[in-house]
Amino acid sequence: MTENLRAELTDGAVTLFRPNAAAWRLSNDWLRDNCRCAACRHPGNGQKLYAIVDLPDQLQALQAELMADASLQVRWSDGHLSSYRSAWLQTHDLAASARAQRHVVPQFWDAQISRQLPLADWPALLVDPALELAWLDRFCALGFGVLRQVPVESGMVAQVGDRLGFVRVTNYGRLFDVISVPNPTNLAYTAVGLGVHSDNPYRDPSPGVQLLHCLVGEAPGGDTILVDGFHAASLLRAEDPAAFELLCRVPMGFRYADDHTDLVARQNLISVDSDGVVCSVHFNNRSADWLDAPADLVAPWYAAYRAFAKILKRPALEAVFRLEPGDCVVMRNDRTLHGRTAFDPSRGRRHLQGCYIDLDAIRSRVLVLQRSLAA
Ligand code: OGA
Ligand code: ZN
Ligand code: ZN
């Protein structure tokens, strides 16, 4: 990228002129704040050694030069000298097209994905970093993945959680059992069907990733239903932009209460990031509490809520498949909504175990595996 480049000092910036590409203006404060020299960043751990206010006001680049090794060298008005490697400049390009490429582009899916599930065998994944990375890459693109051959033993789900990240302990403990019981505290612990939902929207923060491991699946019914919440949100955005905007802006209340617990949180049903890209979806009928919003927004909000709920029920979006003993589905809880069909507990047992981990640990694992496989 730095071949045939020309660096010039322009007002408040170093500007790189590149053939066949727009000029790139590297703003003085931004450029200096990215200096990686040993005075600016600890050489061992890479952490920053100065505070932003330690840099002089009106810092100016006095000289900018492209060196023989294609690095950019800048001399600053406070006497500091910075050097930026060509590879670093490439990976930090702020052009809209370059920024868009750095997004993990979500791959939307629908009912068809049940015929080509993102599968991996757990014992193989444990010993093969390339396979683990390939499965995690699909998880990041799709928002879920399925592991097979997870030993059919109580507690395994938390071991898988601790291998992929760190199990988040909640009032339910390290893991929870999904089994039909008398006097259930939660509809999940009955045999009724569950509409697609994200778990625990009444927590702040809501869990990032959910695991569900099948130990027993004898009862007829109880099939797993998954819906891509990002896909559904994109359909709402296209079909009813005003409804989409309202669900991004006005949060819904959620609550879970039992004898020892009273968890209350408000969540936007849809969130977009600073680039306007959908980045999280929360939906849960069972634990919906009430809408505490300006009175004039209530009617349009409910219309939007109903429109979104109808999209989430479209059969064309529902991936339906059966978890067999040893299968563990791992879902991004703020994207992939899950539910189940009803089952008949009088004709067989059904037992799943679940736990939660955070999404950051998965992303960290991806970067670490990329690093170690590249080395
Ligand atoms: C739950 C749940 C799914 C199932 O417990 O929240 O979604 O298949 N269970 O029982
Ligand atoms: Zn420096
Ligand atoms: Zn659930």
Side-chain angles (χ1 to χ4, degrees):
M1 170 217 169
T2 40
E3 289 96 61
N4 308 317
L5 269 186
R6 208 157 39 80
E8 266 183 32
L9 301 181
T10 48
D11 185 32
V14 173
T15 298
L16 297 180
F17 294 92
R18 346 180 230 193
N20 312 318
W24 180 15
R25 198 171 177 278
L26 303 130
S27 226
N28 282 338
D29 283 341
W30 182 90
L31 190 57
R32 174 59 176 275
D33 198 33
N34 281 302
C35 183
R36 255 55 185 176
C37 82
C40 290
R41 300 254 177 188
H42 188 278
N45 57 38
Q47 296 200 332
K48 210 171 265 188
L49 294 169
Y50 64 91
I52 193 70
V53 291
D54 295 339
L55 300 181
D57 293 333
Q58 270 90 52
L59 180 74
Q60 295 295 330
L62 296 184
Q63 201 188 0
E65 200 180 341
L66 286 156
M67 312 304 283
D69 66 355
S71 64
L72 170 69
Q73 205 174 84
V74 178
R75 185 169 295 284
W76 300 97
S77 52
D78 62 351
H80 200 79
L81 187 68
S82 301
S83 176
Y84 305 88
R85 284 179 302 117
S86 161
W88 185 89
L89 287 167
Q90 270 182 57
T91 50
H92 292 73
D93 191 341
L94 296 183
S97 56
R99 294 192 63 244
Q101 276 179 22
R102 287 197 291 269
H103 270 277
V104 174
V105 181
Q107 224 176 299
F108 294 163
W109 46 268
D110 58 21
Q112 302 301 322
I113 201 159
S114 53
R115 290 188 284 156
Q116 36 176 329
L117 291 172
L119 296 172
D121 290 335
W122 180 242
L125 183 148
L126 280 175
V127 295
D128 183 346
L131 181 79
E132 182 179 356
L133 182 59
W135 183 81
L136 287 171
D137 279 341
R138 290 198 79 197
F139 173 92
C140 291
L142 300 170
F144 81 102
V146 179
L147 298 168
R148 295 241 152 114
Q149 296 176 33
V150 176
V152 183
E153 288 163 26
S154 179
M156 263 316 292
V157 73
Q159 281 192 44
V160 174
D162 274 334
R163 170 61 205 271
L164 297 176
F166 303 92
V167 169
R168 197 203 288 187
V169 180
T170 71
N171 56 302
Y172 303 135
R174 254 170 73 75
L175 57 81
F176 52 89
D177 290 280
V178 184
I179 197 163
S180 66
V181 295
N183 303 319
T185 56
N186 192 311
L187 284 180
Y189 310 149
T190 67
V192 301
L194 299 175
V196 295
H197 60 278
S198 37
D199 265 28
N200 298 197
Y202 41 77
R203 286 185 207 288
D204 186 5
S206 176
V209 176
Q210 173 173 19
L211 289 79
L212 278 174
H213 178 214
C214 177
L215 295 174
V216 184
E218 295 160 356
D223 290 354
T224 293
I225 307 168
L226 301 184
V227 168
D228 183 355
F230 286 8
H231 188 185
S234 81
L235 293 174
L236 181 68
R237 191 176 216 171
E239 293 167 16
D240 191 342
F244 175 87
E245 189 277 330
L246 213 48
L247 297 187
C248 287
R249 188 161 57 87
V250 180
M252 171 79 176
F254 293 96
R255 182 172 180 212
Y256 172 83
D258 63 24
D259 290 348
H260 311 284
T261 308
D262 204 331
L263 291 162
V264 181
R266 299 205 306 161
Q267 307 275 359
N268 289 329
L269 298 192
I270 304 171
S271 303
V272 293
D273 67 16
S274 56
D275 291 312
V277 178
V278 172
C279 62
S280 84
V281 167
H282 293 98
F283 189 90
N284 191 318
N285 195 63
R286 267 179 294 155
S287 50
D289 194 15
W290 68 293
L291 177 69
D292 180 357
D296 60 327
L297 292 181
V298 169
W301 188 91
Y302 263 90
Y305 182 38
R306 290 171 57 88
F308 191 39
K310 281 182 189 165
I311 292 174
L312 291 173
K313 280 181 82 81
R314 286 182 191 166
L317 295 189
E318 288 181 337
V320 183
F321 55 96
R322 202 175 164 75
L323 292 180
E324 299 294 343
D327 292 351
C328 179
V329 57
V330 185
M331 298 161 281
R332 200 178 143 171
N333 188 46
D334 62 354
R335 170 173 175 186
T336 298
L337 308 181
H338 65 284
R340 69 163 185 237
T341 62
F343 61 96
D344 182 353
S346 69
R347 290 176 53 207
R349 294 178 307 138
R350 181 178 191 272
H351 185 188
L352 307 185
Q353 284 185 326
C355 71
Y356 304 113
I357 64 175
D358 293 321
L359 188 57
D360 57 0
I362 298 242
R363 291 185 171 140
S364 160
R365 185 89 193 130
V366 167
L367 293 179
V368 168
L369 284 168
Q370 279 173 353
R371 234 165 42 191
S372 67
L373 287 169

